[in-house]
Amino acid sequence: LSRDAGFDWAGIEESPEFRELTGRRRRFVMRASIFFLTFFLTYLLLTAFAQDFMGTEIAGMPLAFLLAIAQVLMTWGVTWAYLRTCDRELEPLEERAASVATRRFVRHPETTTGSPR
Amino acid sequence: MRTVFAAELQVLPLTVFAVVLAVTLGVTYWASKRTSTATEFWAAGRGVTGLQNGFAIAGDYMSASSFLGFAGLIFLFGVDGFVGLMAALVAFLPVLLFMAERMRNAGKYTIADVLAFRLRQRPARVAAAFGTLAVVFVYLIAQMVGGGVLIQALTGIAFTPAVIGVGAFMLIYVIFGGMLATTWVQIIKAGLLMTCGVVITLLVLNEVGFSPSELFSRAAAEHPEGDAYLSHGLQFDSSVGLVSFGVAFLFGTAGLPHILMRFFTVPDAKAARGSVAWAVVLIGSFYVMVMIIGLGARALLGAGGEEAAGTAGNLAVPNLALELGGGEGSAGGEIFLAIVAAVALATILAVVAGLVISASGAMAHDLWSNVVRKGRESEGEEVVVAKIAAACIGILAIGAAVVGGAGFNVSALVGLAFVIAASANFPAILLALWWRRFNTAGAVTGIAFGLISSLFFIVMSPPVWPGPDSETGSPLGAWGLDNPAIYCIPLGFLGCWLGTVLSSEKPRERTFDELNVRGETGLGAEAGSDGAAVPAGEERRPVGATST
């Protein structure tokens, strides 16, 4: 496979289509990271420093258990949100950035545009 | 109640386990016919689907310590046991958001491939290989010792033959069946473990009339500390220690070579993120079941079950299975115990096989092919060296486990593996993938800082130095932590940053631009089994189009 040859990587990197893709992904990843870190570290700090509070019972279940279940639901929720963002938003941008790259930023067309394998 | 500690050979668990072993050997034979190239050996030909890889990640990740170990800790200490489980689950979010897709698109077989992508080959590979081997070796010894002790208790096979047996099967899977056999052993194990978890959970819930509050009140009533069992603070005497323990799991997972390596087995980035999604669904539901099982063991076995559960509580679940099946001497109880024992053994095998194949990648692909032979080797040679490397690592680990014996502090070893993964591997991989300025000196310094500080603080930690029963305590005094991740992770990042800003390294031939484009779009990435990745110049196929 021609894995290095052919592309003008810097050119693709600066193309507006690629910039939009990375910008959108970065925005999601940053927001999701701040959210999950805050959510989890709050739980972790409560387990370490608010132990009486974590023993509070709600409907017969200690808060320590309910907040642990909340971590599971949060993990599933963030994962689902990322996959949905990829399907709806990022994949079309990936397609577009890749097709622009293959049309405009191939440096050595003679070595890379062979007949389809 | 009978103490589940077999003094003589137990026929029933061995019979059930023989069936499991026969199936895995059949899978290995099938896989051996499909494993000849390096891509097939380390990456199962990149033909594993997202769903399959999700099961395999779950099988690779959930060791006997998360099934029997965490359930045992919950049995002994209540809700403190939840913290490690939750940290180990949330840990897949950094893997999903920062690692999985970029690793898939930038790498080939090992995490060193990702570091070497735009850094200087030899130093970057040597550093990353050391990080990988350190984590794998420590974790492997922990698994073998833990497995040996467990097998002895459950089946009556003595410790040394049990460790050698585990090592032999692990090597058979890896050497003959490569990643394809390892993957299917992990998938089968994940299926068995989930089924077993669902059955025990339903039986426990049935005992308490499917009422969570009944479960909690009965569990607390059976614990000497009463309601304190339902709040934190029984297991950890230091709050900072608990936070550090949680942080080690949170970031350690994103530096575990055997988990990250699984992303090279799928055809593209979409399958990589899909496999994380399946893995968190499986692992998350299993961890909820482990919480219920641990509490159920307390509610049903009571304080009287503590002696039977052993000092670390590892045998609480087997005892619970015996009780749920109808108690000692009943056919149901004995059969259920045998099934749980067989699942626990399958669990150990799947994890150690994953560890050995990742170590063989570091030894053969990174150190031998790219550093010693500088890429002149043939692919056939690489696979032969990989098998020799797997055999060497396996034999070394068996030797270390047998010599160290049951006296090795398993939880200190697991802690050390996660601390090294979190402080040596995680910062270097994360920055190599995302930080434009990052360079070779940064990677080498960061990995060195992470490795050395982990070893230093673990050796100085209260359970290791100067010995658990010593009066004088750790030389670090109150600063000594059982799990020092909270010191070591910042030191790892500091090393990466210092190395980077202090060196005047020239940019490499391959640039961050290439990594970034390749990571985001998959252009130029290693092809999947069906040639799904896009070579330069070829129009990218629309999503959903069939590939030929």
Side-chain angles (χ1 to χ4, degrees):
Chain A
L1 273 181
S2 51
R3 40 174 232 180
D4 303 330
F7 284 116
D8 170 13
W9 299 108
I12 303 172
E13 230 267 353
E14 282 156 22
S15 70
E17 291 81 5
F18 185 78
R19 287 273 134 202
E20 192 185 351
L21 169 65
T22 52
R24 292 270 193 102
R25 194 186 311 269
R26 181 152 307 166
R27 205 179 319 152
F28 181 92
V29 167
M30 282 304 148
R31 285 178 187 172
S33 303
I34 292 167
F35 174 70
F36 91 77
L37 280 175
T38 314
F39 199 94
F40 177 74
L41 292 177
T42 306
Y43 164 75
L44 189 61
L45 292 173
L46 284 173
T47 65
F49 297 103
Q51 303 185 330
D52 291 339
F53 173 67
M54 293 299 266
T56 315
E57 284 199 12
I58 297 171
M61 291 175 278
L63 202 55
F65 177 72
L66 296 172
L67 290 184
I69 298 290
Q71 298 300 318
V72 177
L73 297 177
M74 182 276 289
T75 307
W76 289 347
V78 172
T79 305
W80 176 78
Y82 182 60
L83 260 61
R84 205 179 71 132
T85 305
C86 285
D87 284 347
R88 295 197 176 171
E89 210 179 302
L90 301 179
E91 263 184 31
L93 293 175
E94 277 174 33
E95 298 290 325
R96 195 171 58 143
S99 86
V100 167
T102 44
R103 269 186 282 115
R104 293 215 306 263
F105 294 103
V106 178
R107 271 189 300 217
H108 311 292
E110 70 285 354
T111 61
T112 51
T113 51
S115 55
R117 290 159 304 150
Chain B
M1 178 179 311
R2 187 185 80 186
T3 303
V4 178
F5 187 90
E8 52 200 48
L9 285 184
Q10 301 291 303
V11 177
L12 203 54
L14 288 172
T15 314
V16 180
F17 193 51
V19 175
V20 176
L21 283 182
V23 172
T24 57
L25 287 181
V27 166
T28 307
Y29 178 76
W30 165 83
S32 68
K33 304 281 179 207
R34 288 160 181 77
T35 300
S36 52
T37 66
T39 308
E40 285 161 351
F41 183 79
W42 280 308
R46 302 191 209 288
V48 177
T49 67
L51 174 63
Q52 290 166 352
N53 199 39
F55 267 83
I57 291 170
D60 207 2
Y61 190 61
M62 293 192 287
S63 61
S65 79
S66 50
F67 179 36
L68 305 184
F70 276 113
L73 289 177
I74 294 166
F75 168 76
L76 292 176
F77 305 112
V79 297
D80 270 3
F82 295 175
V83 180
L85 286 173
M86 290 309 114
L89 174 68
V90 176
F92 277 91
L93 290 177
V95 173
L96 173 72
L97 296 172
F98 295 105
M99 308 296 225
E101 298 167 281
R102 289 214 152 194
M103 297 272 309
R104 170 60 190 82
N105 283 338
K108 205 172 169 189
Y109 310 129
T110 65
I111 56 180
D113 285 334
V114 176
L115 284 167
F117 188 91
R118 69 188 171 102
L119 307 179
R120 266 162 50 221
Q121 280 274 341
R122 299 180 77 188
R125 274 192 195 276
V126 171
F130 269 101
T132 297
L133 289 171
V135 172
V136 167
F137 202 67
V138 173
Y139 205 41
L140 193 54
I141 293 175
Q143 290 288 332
M144 303 273 261
V145 172
V149 171
L150 207 59
I151 292 171
Q152 185 174 24
L154 294 173
T155 67
I157 300 174
F159 178 81
T160 304
V163 167
I164 294 172
V166 167
F169 275 98
M170 155 187 98
L171 289 179
I172 290 171
Y173 301 148
V174 170
I175 290 174
F176 296 104
M179 186 52 113
L180 192 57
T182 305
T183 302
W184 281 98
V185 169
Q186 289 164 348
I187 293 172
I188 293 169
K189 165 263 179 96
L192 287 173
L193 193 62
M194 294 300 293
T195 313
C196 188
V198 169
V199 172
I200 302 181
T201 305
L202 288 177
L203 289 173
V204 165
L205 289 175
N206 186 43
E207 291 282 333
V208 295
F210 291 89
S211 152
S213 62
E214 173 78 9
L215 177 65
F216 282 104
S217 57
R218 276 181 65 178
E222 292 289 348
H223 197 276
E225 300 276 346
D227 279 348
Y229 180 73
L230 301 183
S231 188
H232 289 280
L234 288 187
Q235 184 188 356
F236 295 91
D237 44 10
S238 138
S239 296
V240 179
L242 197 158
V243 171
S244 190
F245 171 82
V247 168
F249 277 97
L250 180 63
F251 295 116
T253 303
L256 288 180
H258 63 300
I259 299 297
L260 295 177
M261 188 183 188
R262 293 232 47 95
F263 295 115
F264 302 127
T265 67
V266 293
D268 52 29
K270 189 180 171 73
R273 63 177 177 260
S275 56
V276 182
W278 282 111
V280 297
V281 167
L282 292 167
I283 296 169
S285 16
F286 189 75
Y287 285 177
V288 173
M289 295 192 273
V290 168
M291 295 196 272
I292 294 169
I293 292 169
L295 293 166
R298 172 57 63 179
L300 299 175
L301 301 176
E306 277 188 25
E307 195 188 338
T311 44
N314 278 334
L315 297 176
V317 175
N319 275 301
L320 178 66
L322 186 66
E323 179 74 17
L324 288 169
E328 192 197 342
S330 70
E334 297 292 336
I335 290 172
F336 203 17
L337 171 62
I339 291 172
V340 168
V343 170
L345 300 179
T347 293
I348 296 160
L349 283 174
V351 175
V352 292
L355 287 167
V356 164
I357 201 162
S358 65
S360 87
M363 295 263 277
H365 178 65
D366 297 329
L367 293 181
W368 176 260
S369 298
N370 284 299
V371 175
V372 179
R373 300 273 275 146
K374 297 178 191 166
R376 288 186 306 249
E377 86 300 333
S378 69
E379 195 175 45
E381 178 186 322
E382 197 170 41
V383 175
V384 173
V385 175
K387 294 181 176 185
I388 296 171
C392 294
I393 295 152
I395 290 165
L396 262 175
I398 294 169
V402 167
V403 171
F408 260 132
N409 183 338
V410 173
S411 58
L413 287 177
V414 171
L416 177 61
F418 269 87
V419 174
I420 299 174
S423 57
N425 295 351
F426 171 65
I429 304 168
L430 182 76
L431 296 176
L433 288 173
W434 293 96
W435 190 26
R436 183 177 289 273
R437 273 195 66 192
F438 194 51
N439 61 26
T440 315
V444 173
T445 333
I447 291 174
F449 269 43
L451 250 177
I452 293 166
S453 66
S454 304
L455 289 171
F456 174 79
F457 283 109
I458 286 277
V459 168
M460 290 291 159
S461 72
V464 178
W465 188 284
D469 301 321
S470 160
E471 294 285 314
T472 52
S474 160
L476 299 176
W479 294 93
L481 292 176
D482 290 11
N483 191 312
I486 211 165
Y487 304 143
C488 301
I489 297 173
L491 284 172
F493 277 104
L494 178 73
C496 288
W497 178 77
L498 274 180
T500 301
V501 297
L502 293 181
S503 86
S504 54
E505 191 176 318
K506 292 193 188 75
R508 310 311 309 170
E509 186 184 346
R510 283 164 129 193
T511 59
F512 184 76
D513 291 334
E514 179 177 352
L515 175 77
N516 203 13
V517 171
R518 194 162 147 169
E520 292 281 334
T521 64
L523 284 172
E526 292 289 324
S529 62
D530 57 0
V534 186
E538 190 180 321
E539 195 65 38
R540 193 179 151 96
R541 271 185 301 274
V543 173
T546 50
S547 44
T548 47

